[in-house]
């Protein structure tokens, strides 16, 4: 197309329409009028993203091996077999060894919470389907994935499924400004709502404005009705800052999430909720405090010094 006045006007018009659709999509949330188009896009482009990922992924079968695992024993047994095969195949490849550790950590997290999960790999990132902080994973409706399922990894809460195609699904990350999840404080059980802030800590509004909370306290998901979109007990993060209590009905705190949203690779979609709330059992062990070294100074009197505290005569 030649660079003419008409072509430039057409380009401006198309950009304006794109921004209008994005605005309508975000404001519409789950009832967005363009949700059908978004699902169609997932159906069309999902297999392409999946195919590219499979072609360049040397250990893609590792995740597939655990997708259909059921009970805790079966999951752990499958992991042990897969780890042994991977170690022999991968040798000294640092990246692939890291992915094996991710698989191991995620399955242990799922076992501790008694979550039934299907493993997946992140194959694309970006805002192609209307959100700011999203990733595409390589499993979809053919593997039983549905909208509003919880997504986690070995560290904690990753996000929730928003769009599902036959072979892929889109996950809205917990760091997205449109993301909200109910939380519960460890031990004190104080409830609140955490919202994403992009690359900044999560903002949590505690329902109790006089709640006692301090830096280093930890939070887990509270859970949703019928366990969708969130199952209970998934680690969320650690309190990094507490705003002063000003007598408001709520209290604001800031939480450093356990999950690193900019380096996601292996994740799990919770397809079966635990029979009982795991409470705080999925949280990692608290780091042991580093002991402060103490130095004892002993003063030894010199040989010339008097022993009775009286000055010596000359």
């Amino acid at each position: 197309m030649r660079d003419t006045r008409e072509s430039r006007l057409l380009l401006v018009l198309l950009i304006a329409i794109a921004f209008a659709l994005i605005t309508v999509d975000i404001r519409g949330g789950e009832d967005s009028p363009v949700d059908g188009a978004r699902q169609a896009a997932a159906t069309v482009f999902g297999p392409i993203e999946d195919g590219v990922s499979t072609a360049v992924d040397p250990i893609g079968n590792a995740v597939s091996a655990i997708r259909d695992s059921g009970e805790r024993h079966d999951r752990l047994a499958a992991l042990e077999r897969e780890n042994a095969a991977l170690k022999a195949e991968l040798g000294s490849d640092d990246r692939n060894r890291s992915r094996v550790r991710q698989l191991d950590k995620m399955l242990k997290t799922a076992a501790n919470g008694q979550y039934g999960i299907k493993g997946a790999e992140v194959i694309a990132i970006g805002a192609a389907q209307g959100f700011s902080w999203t990733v595409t994973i390589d499993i979809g409706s053919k593997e039983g994935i549905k909208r509003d399922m919880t997504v986690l990894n070995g560290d904690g809460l990753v996000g929730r499924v928003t769009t599902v195609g036959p072979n892929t699904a889109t996950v809205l990350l917990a760091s997205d400004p449109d993301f909200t999840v109910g939380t519960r404080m460890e031990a004190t059980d104080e409830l609140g709502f955490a919202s994403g802030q992009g690359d900044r800590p999560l903002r949590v509004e505690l329902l109790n404005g006089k709640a006692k909370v301090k830096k280093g306290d930890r939070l887990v998901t509270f859970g949703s009705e019928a366990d969708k979109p969130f199952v209970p007990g998934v680690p969320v993060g650690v309190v990094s800052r507490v705003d002063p209590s000003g007598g408001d009905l709520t209290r604001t705190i800031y939480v450093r999430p356990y999950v690193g949203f900019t380096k996601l690779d292996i994740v799990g979609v919770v397809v079966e909720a635990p029979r009982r709330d795991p409470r705080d059992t999925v949280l990692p062990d608290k780091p042991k405090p580093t002991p402060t070294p103490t130095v004892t100074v002993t003063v030894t009197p010199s040989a010339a010094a008097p022993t009775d505290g009286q000055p010596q005569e000359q």
Side-chain angles (χ1 to χ4, degrees):
M1 181 184 293
R2 291 181 298 176
D3 185 13
T4 64
R5 185 170 180 269
E6 291 77 8
S7 64
R8 288 195 296 270
L9 288 175
L10 178 60
L11 177 61
V12 171
L13 179 61
L14 291 175
I15 293 174
I17 293 173
F19 275 106
L21 289 174
I22 291 173
T23 302
V24 170
D25 186 28
I26 293 175
R27 291 183 177 178
E30 295 184 358
D31 298 323
S32 170
V34 298
D35 182 63
R38 199 166 56 235
Q39 292 188 9
T43 301
V44 173
F45 294 107
I48 299 175
E49 294 173 335
D50 190 20
V52 172
S53 173
T54 302
V56 300
D57 184 4
I59 61 167
N61 293 332
V63 178
S64 300
I66 65 168
R67 283 179 182 161
D68 299 321
S69 56
E71 299 298 326
R72 176 178 178 178
H73 176 75
D74 294 336
R75 292 197 299 268
L76 294 178
L79 174 66
E80 291 175 356
R81 292 193 299 270
E82 194 63 32
N83 275 351
L86 285 169
K87 288 177 181 178
E89 178 182 350
L90 300 175
S92 60
D93 191 318
D94 291 339
R95 179 176 181 271
N96 288 328
R97 285 207 306 268
S98 172
R99 302 184 79 193
V100 173
R101 289 193 294 268
Q102 290 179 54
L103 280 170
D104 182 36
K105 190 174 182 180
M106 183 179 70
L107 287 180
K108 287 180 179 178
T109 296
N112 289 337
Q114 292 298 292
Y115 306 122
I117 67 170
K118 285 187 178 289
E121 293 180 77
V122 173
I123 58 174
I125 61 174
Q129 296 176 348
F131 295 105
S132 298
W133 289 74
T134 62
V135 295
T136 302
I137 57 177
D138 65 344
I139 56 175
S141 58
K142 290 183 178 180
E143 289 80 16
I145 304 305
K146 298 178 181 179
R147 186 170 182 169
D148 285 337
M149 285 183 168
T150 306
V151 182
L152 51 76
N153 66 5
D155 297 317
L157 179 67
V158 171
R160 64 179 176 88
V161 176
T162 57
T163 306
V164 181
N167 302 297
T168 62
T170 300
V171 178
L172 179 67
L173 302 180
S175 54
D176 188 276
D178 287 335
F179 186 96
T180 301
V181 59
T183 61
R184 180 178 59 78
M185 299 289 301
E186 179 187 17
T188 66
D189 289 341
E190 295 286 356
L191 302 181
F193 291 95
S195 301
Q197 296 196 115
D199 56 0
R200 294 179 293 168
L202 304 175
R203 178 188 174 97
V204 180
E205 294 290 336
L206 296 178
L207 300 183
N208 181 4
K210 298 180 180 179
K212 294 183 178 180
V213 58
K214 64 183 184 300
K215 184 177 180 180
D217 287 347
R218 307 188 294 178
L219 296 85
V220 298
T221 56
F222 178 64
S224 308
E225 184 177 358
D227 298 311
K228 287 188 176 182
F230 302 108
V231 294
V234 181
V236 174
V238 180
V239 175
S240 59
R241 194 181 99 202
V242 181
D243 278 358
S245 178
D248 297 331
L249 295 178
T250 62
R251 188 168 193 187
T252 303
I253 62 176
Y254 297 89
V255 173
R256 174 178 55 80
Y258 283 116
V259 172
F261 298 107
T262 60
K263 51 183 180 181
L264 291 171
D265 190 3
I266 306 299
V267 299
V269 181
V270 180
V271 295
E272 183 179 350
R275 295 180 180 177
R276 292 183 298 177
D277 187 342
R279 305 290 294 178
D280 303 328
T281 59
V282 189
L283 283 167
D285 295 333
K286 288 186 176 180
K288 296 181 180 179
T290 303
T292 303
T294 57
V295 179
T296 303
V297 179
T298 303
V299 179
T300 303
S302 64
T307 58
D308 58 0
Q310 299 299 321
Q312 290 182 334
E313 295 182 1
Q314 299 294 326

